Amino acid sequence: DDETFSLLSFGTNEDPESDMCKVLWDCERLNEIENLESWNLRFKHVMNYKRHSGLVNHLDTNQREDVFVSGSRDGILKCWNIDSATASMTFSEHKGNPIVGLWVYKGWITTSIASCDEKSVCIWDSFTGRANQKLGFTSSVSATTWTCLTVDENKSLVVLGTADGHVVSFDTRVGDTPVRDWIVPQLPLGRAPGSIGGVCVGGACSRNGYDGGDGFSSGHLLSVSHGASVAVMDDRCGVILCDFEAHDGAVTQLKGFSHYLFSVSTTERLIKLWDLRKITTATNLDSATFGIGVMEPTCVLKGGSSGDQLTSVIVHNNTIVATAPHKVYTCPINEVLSNGEVTMTARAIPFRGRGNIVTGRALSHHSLLLLGMDEGSIRSCV
């Protein structure tokens, strides 16, 4: 039943009806199958989680990948067990305000989740559904409009971007008062700061072998998108090491992978890969151009020959997965690192015409791809 959930077998492109795996949810049996990519598999629909009334724009999982959390424009967050189409917990502290940021803490024993809407930031427990901590309610930041969120778990920092060009950090160990508040000026210098579109912090989870969300393994780097530009900062002092124009249109997502940075622009319809080891900056502190650098992308990724609009990028094992409104594109990471421009391969999805894909999340341990849809559902594919 498509409106609840279904478990399906899958076959090759040449024979889609062939019964090559009778028990799709037996993950141990799936792990025994080697070289799945060499079979040239099509995506197959596994389950439909349909409970949100607004588009699903955020997805994240715990480290074990047995639980994931969805955030929606309806202002609701829901916890799901990966093998159940019924939400195990609903969090409504945001009172209907659209969710703009979500992070599930990756510790093996933690149940904490950070989320924010434009006016409030909550740290809550996925078991009780209650907010353990609320951030940003001091007089200095109470009028701030939050635009994005990420977490540096190694430093217990929650890092948020604002609509007026600030990057604000909270140390969850000391309370709801910001410990850092950096401003990112618009280029050219002298213009009023613009809205922060995305943040990536240093020392997070991508080095551990699973999709690290917005994380880096590079110590003290903080990457921030504002308009079409990306600023790379030292998170200890707020000094902008490099600020470069990444796209012709607004940058809508940043994703860290080792010492690389992926940037997504839905306007330009491209994903670009940047090697942060190649940062160059002006050295004269008195220069009006201090911090302004020129960066050349390591690789430019396109969605098919027609240049499909790309909405998000996912690093899944050794594969780059990019979502478009009606398609999913893939490309081996080795090909991306060794070529200046790559046209990614479209992969068929079995529910085309049932809404647009807004965001995605890969589950390495289960070989699943979660897709957040604009009609309020979350669909999983193998």
Side-chain angles (χ1 to χ4, degrees):
D1 182 356
D2 184 60
E3 293 306 310
T4 55
F5 69 93
S6 58
L7 301 181
L8 303 179
S9 61
F10 61 90
T12 63
N13 280 346
E14 291 74 17
D15 183 11
E17 303 302 324
S18 63
D19 189 11
M20 301 191 73
C21 184
K22 291 181 179 296
V23 187
L24 183 57
W25 206 255
D26 187 340
C27 298
E28 290 186 357
R29 286 190 60 191
L30 280 179
N31 289 337
E32 294 173 1
I33 301 175
E34 297 180 353
N35 301 321
L36 282 177
E37 288 189 349
S38 67
W39 291 8
N40 193 23
L41 295 178
R42 302 187 307 172
F43 283 114
K44 287 294 184 177
H45 188 195
V46 177
M47 192 172 292
N48 181 17
Y49 311 84
K50 188 176 177 63
R51 290 295 184 274
H52 284 286
S53 59
L55 67 82
V56 178
N57 53 357
H58 293 280
L59 294 168
D60 201 7
T61 68
N62 63 352
Q63 180 159 335
R64 293 186 298 272
E65 296 186 344
D66 56 347
V67 171
F68 73 91
V69 180
S70 58
S72 170
R73 289 276 179 87
D74 62 9
I76 301 296
L77 295 112
K78 292 181 180 290
C79 286
W80 310 82
N81 291 319
I82 195 65
D83 57 352
S84 173
T86 302
S88 60
M89 183 64 66
T90 297
F91 183 72
S92 55
E93 188 70 28
H94 293 287
K95 304 184 186 306
N97 298 313
I99 304 302
V100 299
L102 171 65
W103 180 278
V104 179
Y105 283 74
K106 300 301 186 288
W108 282 98
I109 61 175
T110 184
T111 59
S112 295
I113 297 166
S115 61
C116 71
D117 58 56
E118 290 185 348
K119 295 299 180 184
S120 64
V121 185
C122 296
I123 310 295
W124 54 286
D125 190 290
S126 61
F127 284 157
T128 65
R130 297 178 181 176
N132 297 328
Q133 195 172 7
K134 296 183 180 181
L135 308 176
F137 288 88
T138 60
S139 58
S140 61
V141 294
S142 59
T144 296
T145 299
W146 308 116
T147 58
C148 53
L149 171 149
T150 192
V151 172
D152 186 341
E153 294 189 36
N154 292 339
K155 302 174 185 176
S156 299
L157 293 178
V158 176
V159 185
L160 299 111
T162 73
D164 58 354
H166 286 251
V167 179
V168 182
S169 299
F170 295 87
D171 189 331
T172 56
R173 298 167 296 186
V174 300
D176 65 352
T177 302
V179 294
R180 298 168 185 166
D181 187 350
W182 313 127
I183 188 168
V184 181
Q186 279 283 75
L187 298 179
L189 296 178
R191 294 175 57 189
S195 179
I196 302 300
V199 289
C200 283
V201 300
C205 306
S206 61
R207 66 184 182 276
N208 292 333
Y210 57 89
D211 187 358
D214 300 324
F216 277 109
S217 58
S218 306
H220 297 285
L221 291 182
L222 175 64
S223 295
V224 180
S225 67
H226 55 117
S229 299
V230 173
V232 183
M233 310 169 66
D234 187 320
D235 70 353
R236 297 165 293 185
C237 58
V239 170
I240 297 177
L241 305 174
C242 187
D243 197 339
F244 59 94
E245 185 172 333
H247 291 269
D248 291 336
V251 178
T252 53
Q253 184 194 9
L254 294 177
K255 174 80 70 176
F257 172 72
S258 184
H259 46 258
Y260 294 99
L261 176 71
F262 288 96
S263 61
V264 181
S265 173
T266 55
T267 304
E268 197 178 20
R269 297 173 177 254
L270 295 175
I271 296 173
K272 293 183 180 180
L273 177 69
W274 309 90
D275 188 342
L276 296 184
R277 296 171 299 181
K278 298 180 180 179
I279 290 176
T280 58
T281 63
T283 57
N284 183 0
L285 290 175
D286 297 324
S287 171
T289 60
F290 175 70
I292 299 175
V294 177
M295 286 275 284
E296 293 296 330
T298 300
C299 185
V300 177
L301 295 86
K302 296 175 55 179
S305 57
S306 59
D308 204 355
Q309 185 182 57
L310 302 173
T311 57
S312 67
V313 61
I314 306 156
V315 183
H316 175 54
N317 292 336
N318 295 316
T319 303
I320 303 302
V321 181
T323 63
H326 303 290
K327 298 176 185 177
V328 174
Y329 291 91
T330 62
C331 181
I333 187 67
N334 290 338
E335 184 176 340
V336 172
L337 297 178
S338 59
N339 291 279
E341 183 172 324
V342 171
T343 300
M344 293 181 289
T345 303
R347 300 284 294 272
I349 55 175
F351 44 83
R352 189 171 181 177
R354 304 179 193 175
N356 296 327
I357 300 170
V358 178
T359 189
R361 185 74 181 181
L363 282 71
S364 301
H365 302 330
H366 301 289
S367 297
L368 287 176
L369 179 66
L370 297 174
L371 299 172
M373 311 297 290
D374 64 354
E375 37 78 36
S377 69
I378 305 104
R379 298 177 182 269
S380 62
C381 302
V382 67

